[in-house]
Amino acid sequence: MIRWRKGEVIAIRREWPGAVELDVTLPEGDCRALAYPPLVGRPEPGDTVLLNTTALAMGLGTGGYAMVVAIPERLPEDPSGPGHLVKARYTPLQATVLGADEQGSPHHEVLREADSLHGMPVVVADLHSALPAVLCGLFAARPGVRVAYVMTDGGALPAWFSMAAARLREIGWLCGVVSTGQAFGGDVEAVTLHTGLLAARHVLSAEVAVVAQGPGNLGTGTRWGFSGVAAGEAVNAASVLSGRPVASLRVSEGDARERHVGVSHHSLTAYGRVALAPAQVVVPELPGPFGKRVIEAAAPLGSRHELVHVPVDGLYEALEKSPVRLSTMGRSLPQDPASFLTAAAAGRHTASLLP
């Protein structure tokens, strides 16, 4: 259930496109809060804000923020302009956006008959944290490639939540963000993953798409109860649209949970059971016994997919130069290098697929 609080804004900590981080005082003490100005307006010091404090109470690892629901004494103006796609539907903060695929969009004519990605590589990853690592491997081999991030709705719904995506877009590592399904806040909005991929190719003119959920994946410790199951569905979507799906494995040497050590059961289920179309599954050539463990764990995927073994030499140095902080489940590059090296290897292989 939702936990509600009223607080007063003390200060603006920082901001990035679509989001503002605040210090807010509550009766029980100060806290960090996050507001999305396109939804609630821009809070200022001294404002009273209505907060959803569920994430704070649960101690959520991905952004333990209180979320600003409203500035009751200073509501934003009613929005104007086109757009009839409703996302986060029938929640208190449902938002109307202009979808690239809807009739009022300037891109509708392009997307109405679009049916092919024309062989565009589509890198599929489970976790949002793989996005910058994939790009590190890709740009180390092929700088200047146009890459779009296609965000699914398994994690955060507002694309604004991702500071990494905002920074990667700012420096040109992303030509745009496409938010699909119930997710919103990207440069381009789409109804489905399929139209999101088509928009990446035909609206943003991307040469590569990276598909991953937003920050904050959800798992239950069961075989099927995790949001990353959508990675298998993304492989199917890329394939049916004549793209070239590249599957990035979720690998960890630092996770305390045995089910995620080596090749995570998430990848084995999503790619081994959900993905019905073949993909190129990138298997990193990690050193030592752990590297052998990863190769052995990934081997059964070869019955359905093409296993591509990719060396990781030089990739750690590329990851150290990442323009955004690398963190997966609270672990940094030195704490879990295998995770980031695996994603970077997927980027390196994708570079070899480009003309």
Side-chain angles (χ1 to χ4, degrees):
M1 302 297 290
I2 296 175
R3 294 166 172 84
W4 300 102
R5 294 288 186 276
K6 271 190 176 182
E8 181 177 318
V9 178
I10 305 170
I12 307 295
R13 292 174 63 98
R14 55 181 167 171
E15 55 188 302
W16 57 95
V20 179
E21 184 180 356
L22 315 164
D23 284 327
V24 176
T25 185
L26 299 172
E28 56 266 45
D30 297 347
C31 72
R32 291 190 313 165
L34 196 66
Y36 300 125
L39 295 184
V40 302
R42 188 181 189 281
E44 300 290 349
D47 280 340
T48 297
V49 288
L50 177 62
L51 301 175
N52 177 333
T53 58
T54 305
L56 285 178
M58 294 182 65
L60 298 184
T62 303
Y65 292 103
M67 306 302 298
V68 176
V69 178
I71 309 169
E73 297 169 2
R74 189 162 49 82
L75 297 175
E77 294 182 4
D78 290 342
S80 59
H84 77 272
L85 265 63
V86 181
K87 296 198 175 187
R89 291 185 282 277
Y90 299 105
T91 67
L93 287 180
Q94 61 184 349
T96 303
V97 299
L98 176 64
D101 34 8
E102 70 171 276
Q103 288 87 343
S105 165
H107 310 297
H108 177 72
E109 290 302 315
V110 171
L111 293 177
R112 184 170 61 179
E113 300 300 329
D115 197 41
S116 176
L117 299 176
H118 303 298
M120 180 181 72
V122 177
V123 186
V124 178
D126 179 356
L127 298 177
H128 182 74
S129 57
L131 172 63
V134 168
L135 296 180
C136 285
L138 175 60
F139 283 109
R142 290 291 296 270
V145 175
R146 285 184 65 84
V147 184
Y149 168 41
V150 179
M151 181 176 136
T152 63
D153 54 13
L157 295 186
W160 305 309
F161 187 78
S162 176
M163 289 180 280
R167 175 60 178 159
L168 293 168
R169 196 169 32 192
E170 179 185 346
I171 65 172
W173 276 33
L174 290 176
C175 64
V177 175
V178 184
S179 39
T180 69
Q182 292 278 16
F184 58 91
D187 303 287
V188 177
E189 304 282 358
V191 175
T192 66
L193 174 58
H194 296 76
T195 51
L197 286 168
L198 290 167
R201 178 71 181 87
H202 297 285
V203 174
L204 295 177
S205 300
E207 299 168 88
V208 174
V210 180
V211 177
Q213 60 188 318
N217 75 301
L218 179 62
T220 63
T222 63
R223 178 173 294 175
W224 294 102
F226 63 97
S227 54
V229 75
E233 297 164 351
V235 167
N236 296 334
S239 178
V240 78
L241 293 173
S242 301
R244 300 185 67 176
V246 176
S248 177
L249 295 170
R250 177 175 172 178
V251 169
S252 176
E253 195 173 8
D255 202 307
R257 298 163 296 178
E258 181 61 27
R259 66 184 183 273
H260 292 308
V261 176
V263 179
S264 169
H265 78 102
H266 284 193
S267 290
L268 298 177
T269 299
Y271 300 141
R273 301 286 297 280
V274 180
L276 302 179
Q280 291 187 320
V281 176
V282 174
V283 182
E285 295 180 349
L286 300 168
F290 181 77
K292 182 179 179 182
R293 174 177 176 169
V294 168
I295 290 173
E296 291 174 349
L301 296 176
S303 63
R304 180 170 298 182
H305 304 289
E306 177 188 355
L307 301 182
V308 182
H309 294 262
V310 177
V312 298
D313 56 293
L315 287 179
Y316 192 92
E317 292 75 14
L319 289 163
E320 286 184 309
K321 299 175 183 176
S322 172
V324 301
R325 183 173 67 93
L326 297 177
S327 177
T328 183
M329 309 301 290
R331 298 184 299 277
S332 65
L333 173 61
Q335 292 171 324
D336 198 355
S339 175
F340 301 104
L341 286 170
T342 300
R348 170 176 279 179
H349 173 65
T350 301
S352 72
L353 302 178
L354 296 170

